[in-house]
Amino acid sequence: RTRLNLTYIGDNILIVDSDTVWSRNVTFVHPTNRTVHYFDVRGSEGPECNGMDPVRFTESITAGSPLLDPRKPTLTPYVSCRRAEYPNATGARHIVHHMMFQYDVMMELHSVITQRWGVSTLWQAFVKCYRHDFCKSRVAEYELYFAFVSNVYPERVNLEHLVNGVNYMGGSGFCEEREMECCKEKGVILKGCHDHRVSSKSRGDMCC
């Protein structure tokens, strides 16, 4: 919005994956206390860390350059999977086909990262960070943003817990009208409708 002078874009921006079909209404910015509704989801991954968890990048990108003396503590701790630092992690992740981004939070996140890496753009910081082994893991923008907002602005976060296959259907190629009615009746928030999940052997996560 800032660099391109897109003044028509508001302060609250909901990004939704293109394969998402909603089955119930959600109020993302609460009108009374202005908290933002976020979601986490527990699925088949379990609480242990695995190769899909963006642990190193998420934590390192806001810690900044190793040339800083002393190096700053991370502002984006990754607390979703179980490690020595977080033995009670539940395994709930935050990649749920959408994310509500707030302009002022995003601008502060950009500012922290660029200052701590001594660069002018977020992309330059990403490139510098990824030259170091301590930064090399999966990159997940939704996890990075949630880690930052929940750590720096916890008073804004209203978190709802989801369970894949119960009230959240993360992967299925079948989202026709009858299926979505079943999801609505069961209180499922959304389905991720991936064409590649269509097969004769598996229909993926289904409500009906």
Side-chain angles (χ1 to χ4, degrees):
R1 182 177 97 172
T2 302
R3 287 183 177 276
L4 299 178
N5 196 31
L6 302 179
T7 56
Y8 59 85
I9 296 179
D11 293 330
N12 302 299
I13 303 100
L14 178 64
I15 302 297
V16 183
D17 294 359
S18 61
D19 54 9
T20 302
V21 180
W22 300 90
S23 50
R24 68 173 168 88
N25 294 332
V26 178
T27 299
F28 282 98
V29 181
H30 294 261
T32 52
N33 58 17
R34 306 303 294 171
T35 60
V36 178
H37 208 75
Y38 296 99
F39 298 87
D40 63 22
V41 61
R42 300 186 193 188
S44 58
E45 300 95 340
E48 304 302 327
C49 295
N50 58 61
M52 296 297 285
D53 284 297
V55 178
R56 291 185 176 184
F57 179 84
T58 301
E59 295 190 337
S60 297
I61 192 65
T62 58
S65 171
L67 299 179
L68 291 175
D69 186 23
R71 195 177 184 212
K72 303 290 187 181
T74 183
L75 291 179
T76 46
Y78 188 79
V79 302
S80 295
C81 63
R82 193 171 294 163
R83 296 179 284 154
E85 303 94 318
Y86 305 107
N88 298 318
T90 64
R93 275 78 169 184
H94 307 92
I95 301 176
V96 287
H97 289 277
H98 70 278
M99 178 64 71
M100 173 62 78
F101 294 93
Q102 293 193 293
Y103 180 76
D104 62 334
V105 177
M106 183 63 81
M107 289 301 96
E108 183 167 351
L109 176 59
H110 278 233
S111 177
V112 166
I113 292 174
T114 54
Q115 287 179 17
R116 292 190 173 188
W117 284 95
V119 294
S120 58
T121 70
L122 199 65
W123 173 247
Q124 290 170 336
F126 278 31
V127 171
K128 288 186 75 171
C129 185
Y130 223 73
R131 291 172 181 163
H132 302 278
D133 287 341
F134 62 70
C135 195
K136 291 182 179 179
S137 70
R138 185 188 184 199
V139 176
E141 297 88 344
Y142 288 176
E143 292 286 10
L144 174 62
Y145 182 84
F146 183 81
F148 186 75
V149 71
S150 60
N151 185 51
V152 179
Y153 296 97
E155 72 282 357
R156 296 194 188 187
V157 176
N158 182 40
L159 187 62
E160 180 179 341
H161 305 296
L162 303 172
V163 178
N164 194 57
V166 178
N167 54 359
Y168 169 86
M169 303 294 174
S172 173
F174 298 88
C175 295
E176 64 275 8
E177 185 175 355
R178 176 59 189 142
E179 167 64 9
M180 296 313 299
E181 283 296 321
C182 286
C183 290
K184 183 178 180 180
E185 292 167 4
K186 293 183 177 181
V188 172
I189 181 175
L190 61 81
K191 288 195 74 173
C193 299
H194 307 289
D195 289 345
H196 68 272
R197 300 296 178 101
V198 179
S199 72
S200 58
K201 296 181 179 180
S202 173
R203 292 170 62 85
D205 300 317
M206 297 294 293
C207 294
C208 290

